[in-house]
Amino acid sequence: MPAAFEVSGELDLNAVEAALNTIVARHEVLRSSYSEVQGEIYQQAQAPYGCQVERFDLSTLEVSAQAEALEQTSSPLVNTPLCCKRRKCYRRAI
């Protein structure tokens, strides 16, 4: 379920990252991968780990170019299917 938010003013990126790490630590499903063995699906939860938020700084671009750059950087994040066989079943970027 992709979501995007427009933020005005100062944004404490370290606080955002810390909040996301707290959420990931609290919810096992966000740290899980899934595999199939002989027709049975298994969930394997990883221990809590620190996740880093991918950061895109578009502030150096002119306003007219920011919308296009945002589309180019966010499109792969939104349109690429997640593979829940891997460790991380979610994406995050600022």
Side-chain angles (χ1 to χ4, degrees), residues 61-93:
L61 301 175
E62 292 191 28
V63 175
S64 59
Q66 286 181 358
E68 183 178 334
L70 178 60
E71 176 65 31
Q72 289 176 352
T73 56
S74 65
S75 184
L77 293 169
V78 173
N79 296 319
T80 303
L82 289 171
C83 178
C84 289
K85 291 181 180 181
R86 296 189 192 122
R87 181 175 159 188
K88 296 176 184 168
C89 245
Y90 62 94
R91 295 187 188 103
R92 64 265 167 247

Side-chain angles (χ1 to χ4, degrees), residues 44-65:
Q44 183 177 14
Q46 306 293 324
Y49 56 86
C51 65
Q52 291 183 321
V53 176
E54 189 172 2
R55 299 174 185 197
F56 299 98
D57 184 0
L58 307 179
S59 65
T60 59
L61 301 175
E62 292 191 28
V63 175
S64 59

